[in-house]
Amino acid sequence: MGFTQRPQQWGIMIRFEHVTKRYEDGTTAVDDLSFEVAEGELVTLVGPSGCGKTTTMKMVNRLIEPSEGRIFVEGEDISTTDPVQLRRRIGYVIQQVGLFPHKTVLENTATVPHLLGVKRGKARERAAELLDLVGLDPATFGDRYPEQLSGGQRQRVGVARALAADPPVLLMDEPFGAVDPVVREHLQNEFLRLQQAVRKTVLFVTHDIEEAVRLGDRMAVYGEGRIEQFDTPSTILGAPSNDYVADFVGADRGLKRLSVTPIEEGDLEQPPVLHLDDPLPAKLDARWAVVLDGENNLHGWISAEHAHSGPGTVRDHARRMEAWLPVGATLKQAFSTMLQHDAGWIAVIDKDSEGRFLGILTPARLHEALRRSTAADGRDIARGDVELETITGIGKR
Ligand SMILES: Nc1ncnc2c1ncn2[C@@H]1O[C@H](COP(=O)(O)OP(=O)(O)OP(=O)(O)O)[C@@H](O)[C@H]1O
Ligand SMILES: [Mg+2]
């Protein structure tokens, strides 16, 4: 579809330089904020109510002007940019979505391209594509009015509309705040998939720490008017920079980190392996072996009691494997797969092939992987701390 292909250049898309906002009544909403957001990066801003998240966001599209400091978008000091021109490059999704109640879903979505001078027919065509992209069938929903949609569906129209002008930057202020947790998770998944495809630079405000962790390439944890820590979710959960951040991310941060730590090949153990057409071995030095087909793709497993010499081949005694995941899946998925299948280990396969077997993940290796993710962050945090936390999950900070 007609999105600008932006090669991943890792240029800086948004830069804040010592930005302070003081309102007329003397409230300092944000205080000396400096940070950079790379092109194609999704940064979540998370923090308690009133800490300055919306103010930060609205300064990017000049709905609010900073009192001090400078903001750059694509290298350009935005105080010198025409706000209307600027906003064309920045999609904006607000919490209450702000759909026009008297316009249909399709018209709502087509608004921006239409304003930008795209012909009506073309704008509607594009709007239909976008609705499709956010999971709303244009034939079903296009002619409805916002009041005829569920909260979650309205949020999706908001996202489609913000994407309509194909802006490089998206500002999203609690876009999924008004929907229930189940729908929210669904929208988050869809949004992640969408972001994989369109690779916008996104500032995403949320109250919800889980959402911030789940969606953010990096996250900014706000205290009052200040960013207390700006880093990857894995680092923030693994090594909060101070007590405030540790408190904010919660005592169960060890568990939360499961959901942001991927399974890597180095985490895997190599168990005994047999192939489908092998004769049964005389003896197996383990309680079971993994069974692969001729292409080394995962087939299943065989238990030691069946794997001793006798007539037939491994194929005759192998069982299908239910508990497996592709490499790159999260440790949380691994843990949940183990529980679901009541399995002591899971098989891990290559994600780009037909299922080439890479190794197995055991609970001990899962635990090591969690520790690895902290060590890789290069932070000096006591191993014992992580260990306690990941084992007990709760109760310790
Ligand atoms: N127009 C205004 N005049 C004076 N103070 C303001 C104004 N707008 C916001 N504030 C104050 O600035 C601070 C930051 O507000 P902001 O809207 O950025 O918070 P937020 O982090 O988005 O909060 P929430 O999570 O509740 O949306 C708050 O103390 C707020 O009361
Ligand atoms: Mg706000």
Side-chain angles (χ1 to χ4, degrees):
M1 108 176 292
F3 280 105
T4 312
Q5 290 297 314
R6 290 190 181 80
Q8 194 113 61
Q9 296 165 331
W10 299 114
I12 298 303
M13 190 58 112
I14 300 172
R15 185 160 95 238
F16 274 58
E17 266 183 21
H18 301 290
V19 174
T20 294
K21 174 63 189 178
R22 250 174 261 106
Y23 286 108
E24 279 170 16
D25 63 359
T27 310
T28 305
V30 304
D31 187 13
D32 195 20
L33 218 56
S34 296
F35 64 86
E36 291 180 338
V37 181
E39 183 170 1
E41 192 178 28
L42 198 168
V43 170
T44 48
L45 313 184
V46 63
S49 185
C51 67
K53 306 181 296 291
T54 298
T55 302
T56 304
M57 190 158 272
K58 284 186 170 171
M59 288 192 291
V60 178
N61 62 7
R62 294 193 63 185
L63 289 174
I64 294 177
E65 299 290 346
S67 317
E68 280 166 38
R70 296 197 299 171
I71 300 169
F72 298 81
V73 172
E74 292 184 288
E76 191 179 29
D77 181 343
I78 61 169
S79 66
T80 63
T81 310
D82 170 35
V84 176
Q85 292 289 338
L86 178 69
R87 283 171 209 152
R88 283 183 187 167
R89 289 186 276 146
I90 301 177
Y92 188 33
V93 188
I94 55 174
Q95 175 160 11
Q96 294 310 328
V97 186
L99 299 178
F100 302 114
H102 56 281
K103 285 190 176 187
T104 66
V105 164
L106 197 70
E107 288 162 354
N108 261 289
T109 312
T111 308
V112 181
H114 196 54
L115 283 177
L116 293 178
V118 176
K119 290 245 165 57
R120 192 154 180 271
K122 265 268 172 249
R124 291 173 69 94
E125 212 173 282
R126 167 125 187 112
E129 283 177 355
L130 283 159
L131 288 174
D132 218 23
L133 193 72
V134 298
L136 292 175
D137 175 17
T140 310
F141 295 100
D143 294 329
R144 291 203 197 168
Y145 289 88
E147 63 171 17
Q148 297 169 312
L149 300 179
S150 74
Q153 290 163 346
R154 258 181 300 218
Q155 302 283 4
R156 290 186 220 186
V157 179
V159 173
R161 194 176 59 178
L163 286 170
D166 190 19
V169 177
L170 270 186
L171 306 178
M172 306 180 81
D173 197 346
E174 308 212 30
F176 310 144
V179 295
D180 66 72
V182 176
V183 175
R184 184 189 302 198
E185 187 169 336
H186 190 68
L187 289 173
Q188 287 167 354
N189 284 337
E190 281 181 359
F191 182 64
L192 277 177
R193 212 171 314 126
L194 188 65
Q195 171 63 358
Q196 293 274 319
V198 302
R199 276 282 156 205
K200 301 296 181 189
T201 304
V202 187
L203 280 184
F204 189 111
V205 166
T206 176
H207 268 101
D208 177 358
I209 177 77
E210 310 268 352
E211 183 165 79
V213 164
R214 192 131 188 265
L215 298 182
D217 295 314
R218 288 190 297 163
M219 55 195 265
V221 180
Y222 275 68
E224 234 170 84
R226 294 182 26 178
I227 294 178
E228 297 286 342
Q229 191 171 7
F230 192 120
D231 215 319
T232 60
S234 151
T235 300
I236 288 180
L237 294 173
S241 62
N242 58 37
D243 285 350
Y244 172 86
V245 177
D247 252 347
F248 188 78
V249 297
D252 61 344
R253 63 192 164 87
L255 276 182
K256 289 192 183 106
R257 213 155 88 255
L258 283 171
S259 66
V260 291
T261 310
I263 303 171
E264 292 178 2
E265 268 196 77
D267 300 329
L268 306 179
E269 221 167 274
Q270 295 306 323
V273 164
L274 293 171
H275 285 85
L276 278 173
D277 294 324
D278 290 346
L280 289 172
K283 183 169 168 292
L284 194 62
D285 286 331
R287 285 187 295 137
W288 44 266
V290 167
V291 177
L292 307 182
D293 68 12
E295 256 102 57
N296 285 328
N297 294 334
L298 178 68
H299 175 86
W301 62 288
I302 186 167
S303 72
E305 58 190 283
H306 291 115
H308 50 68
S309 50
T313 61
V314 167
R315 184 188 300 274
D316 303 326
H317 296 282
R319 291 195 235 164
R320 276 291 187 177
M321 175 83 69
E322 305 283 341
W324 56 270
L325 282 174
V327 70
T330 65
L331 297 182
K332 183 176 176 190
Q333 287 173 298
F335 193 41
S336 129
T337 304
M338 277 179 202
L339 292 178
Q340 186 189 344
H341 296 285
D342 195 17
W345 51 275
I346 60 168
V348 177
I349 63 171
D350 196 347
K351 63 180 158 202
D352 300 321
S353 69
E354 296 291 299
R356 192 170 58 86
F357 173 73
L358 296 176
I360 65 166
L361 191 71
T362 59
R365 287 300 181 102
L366 193 151
H367 184 212
E368 273 174 34
L370 257 191
R371 300 207 303 201
R372 178 251 306 151
S373 77
T374 311
D377 296 330
R379 300 300 163 102
D380 189 17
I381 97 169
R383 284 247 150 150
D385 266 10
V386 179
E387 202 155 338
L388 256 180
E389 241 177 68
T390 53
I391 290 171
T392 60
I394 44 172
K396 181 172 184 305
R397 200 186 73 222

